[in-house]
Amino acid sequence: LLLAARGWGCLGAMSRYSTEQRGRPNSPDYRLYFKNADGKYISPFHDIPLFAGSKEDKEIPAKRSKTTGSEVLFNMIVEAPRWTNAKMEIATEEPLNPIKHDIKKGKLRYVANIFPHKGYIWNYGALPQTWEDPSHMDNITGCCGDNDPIDVCEIGSKVHSSGEIVQVKVLGVLALVDEGETDWKIIAISADDPEAQKIHGKYLYIDDVKKHKPGYLEATVDWFQLYKVPDGKPENHFAFNGEFKNKDFAVEIIKSTHERWKALLHKKVDGGTIKCTNVLVSGSPFCCSEEDARSIVQSAPAFMNGDSVSPEVDSWYFFPK
């Protein structure tokens, strides 16, 4: 088996986690499983804390969080690196929730290139220990959640790897309504990115993003509005007319989805097909042994060498406003 540590995350986050590949890359059976520093197989969805903290491996959910200045930092799981097209995502309906290639109608899914962009225009991923509950109607959007962890667009200068754990500073949030479901998009930046310190306004970090990364937020709105059109679907729309809400608003949304996740892991709500198997969540009825977790991983197809780079989508699309 290939044990592939995905490099060091910001502030040493990846020193606590590594990944192990199973199956053949760019195939339906490819899976990327996670281990912690003790070598235990874990669920990235449930066992990696939302809040980055020095004691996070011993406190699930963490009771203390790491800060930089006055900022609380969050752990982000990178699913799809910037400029790639493969739709990689946490497998919420599989035990231990590895990262896999999304499949629809038997085919691997790729996002189209939306002119002038190439693939994902940020490092795209999710915040662990959050859940957009499909049975809970959001009083802001008027729609229920999309049944996934909350999404993150990391806008720093580095291209991160799939499976990397990055400690991020939250900057704001976009309220996407995707096919009738609430799908919040957190805007964040890696805490050790050179540009992170430039974004320091007390409340209006989003305004600093506009100043230091002109056009990036507008491109983000365009991307999410149009990315499903090549598949024959209508344009997406947004709450607040596509306006980005500030950091404090975003943090409240994160905390709300964290509370829904807590209810899920302690069987206070019905998660349907969501797999809540975990190794470290204290008091969870879904907690399994290290041996059970190892058996789950070993039951997946063995790693097989394949193309190291996902096939790209070569077609370019332009949709005038």
Side-chain angles (χ1 to χ4, degrees), residues 10 154-158 160 189-198 213:
C10 67
E154 193 279 319
I155 66 171
S157 54
K158 180 181 177 181
H160 290 281
I189 190 168
S190 174
D192 69 350
D193 192 273
E195 295 184 318
Q197 298 308 312
K198 298 178 183 179
K213 289 182 171 287

Side-chain angles (χ1 to χ4, degrees), residues 18-260:
S18 60
T19 54
E20 180 174 313
Q21 299 181 54
R22 305 286 298 198
R24 185 185 296 277
N26 311 310
S27 76
D29 63 0
Y30 177 77
R31 298 293 184 274
L32 192 64
Y33 286 94
F34 287 71
K35 283 184 173 181
N36 66 6
D38 296 327
K40 297 178 182 177
Y41 289 108
I42 60 170
S43 160
F45 186 4
H46 306 306
D47 290 319
I48 294 177
L50 169 62
F51 298 98
S54 59
K55 295 185 178 181
E56 62 185 20
D57 284 334
K58 300 183 185 301
E59 298 175 350
I60 308 291
K63 296 182 176 65
R64 298 180 60 187
S65 55
K66 185 176 289 185
T67 62
T68 173
S70 61
E71 286 305 310
V72 175
L73 301 182
F74 298 87
N75 285 320
M76 172 192 176
I77 303 161
V78 178
E79 296 168 308
R82 181 189 287 115
W83 312 137
T84 62
N85 295 80
K87 196 173 189 307
M88 307 301 293
E89 61 179 26
I90 292 171
T92 58
E93 298 182 0
E94 295 183 13
L96 294 185
N97 315 113
I99 289 177
K100 69 170 186 175
H101 200 141
D102 189 30
I103 298 174
K104 189 168 186 178
K105 296 181 179 178
K107 295 183 179 180
L108 301 179
R109 294 184 68 190
Y110 298 88
V111 297
N113 297 314
I114 304 298
F115 184 86
H117 310 299
K118 172 67 176 68
Y120 290 95
I121 63 174
W122 347 255
N123 294 298
Y124 193 67
L127 293 182
Q129 299 190 340
T130 62
W131 181 50
E132 296 193 68
D133 186 348
S135 68
H136 175 71
M137 181 173 289
D138 191 289
N139 59 11
I140 297 170
T141 65
C143 298
C144 293
D146 70 349
N147 207 28
D148 285 324
I150 199 167
D151 296 320
V152 186
C153 302
E154 193 279 319
I155 66 171
S157 54
K158 180 181 177 181
V159 176
H160 290 281
S161 301
S162 183
E164 192 169 346
I165 310 301
V166 181
Q167 293 179 1
V168 297
K169 174 178 177 179
V170 167
L171 309 176
V173 64
L174 179 67
L176 175 66
V177 178
D178 187 350
E179 298 185 40
E181 297 176 331
T182 301
D183 193 3
W184 295 101
K185 304 297 181 184
I186 299 295
I187 308 300
I189 190 168
S190 174
D192 69 350
D193 192 273
E195 295 184 318
Q197 298 308 312
K198 298 178 183 179
I199 302 174
H200 54 68
K202 186 174 181 182
Y203 300 109
L204 300 178
Y205 282 15
I206 282 295
D207 286 353
D208 275 354
V209 175
K210 294 175 182 176
K211 176 181 177 182
H212 295 291
K213 289 182 171 287
Y216 208 165
L217 295 181
E218 292 82 357
T220 295
V221 171
D222 284 346
W223 196 97
F224 280 118
Q225 185 172 2
L226 299 172
Y227 82 104
K228 289 190 175 182
V229 173
D231 295 329
K233 295 182 178 179
E235 294 182 2
N236 284 322
H237 64 281
F238 309 89
F240 311 113
N241 294 316
E243 173 192 351
F244 287 84
K245 307 304 285 187
N246 66 22
K247 174 202 70 173
D248 291 342
F249 188 103
V251 169
E252 289 305 310
I253 295 297
I254 293 169
K255 288 179 178 178
S256 173
T257 59
H258 184 49
E259 291 303 314
R260 304 303 297 183

Side-chain angles (χ1 to χ4, degrees), residues 42-48 60 90-98 129-131 147 260-289 293 296:
I42 60 170
S43 160
F45 186 4
H46 306 306
D47 290 319
I48 294 177
I60 308 291
I90 292 171
T92 58
E93 298 182 0
E94 295 183 13
L96 294 185
N97 315 113
Q129 299 190 340
T130 62
W131 181 50
N147 207 28
R260 304 303 297 183
W261 170 83
K262 286 182 184 179
L264 173 69
L265 264 286
H266 289 88
K267 223 170 185 178
K268 295 180 180 177
V269 295
D270 182 7
T273 57
I274 295 287
K275 287 292 187 291
C276 299
T277 309
N278 68 85
V279 180
L280 301 174
V281 181
S282 178
S284 171
F286 301 103
C287 198
C288 74
S289 68
I296 290 169

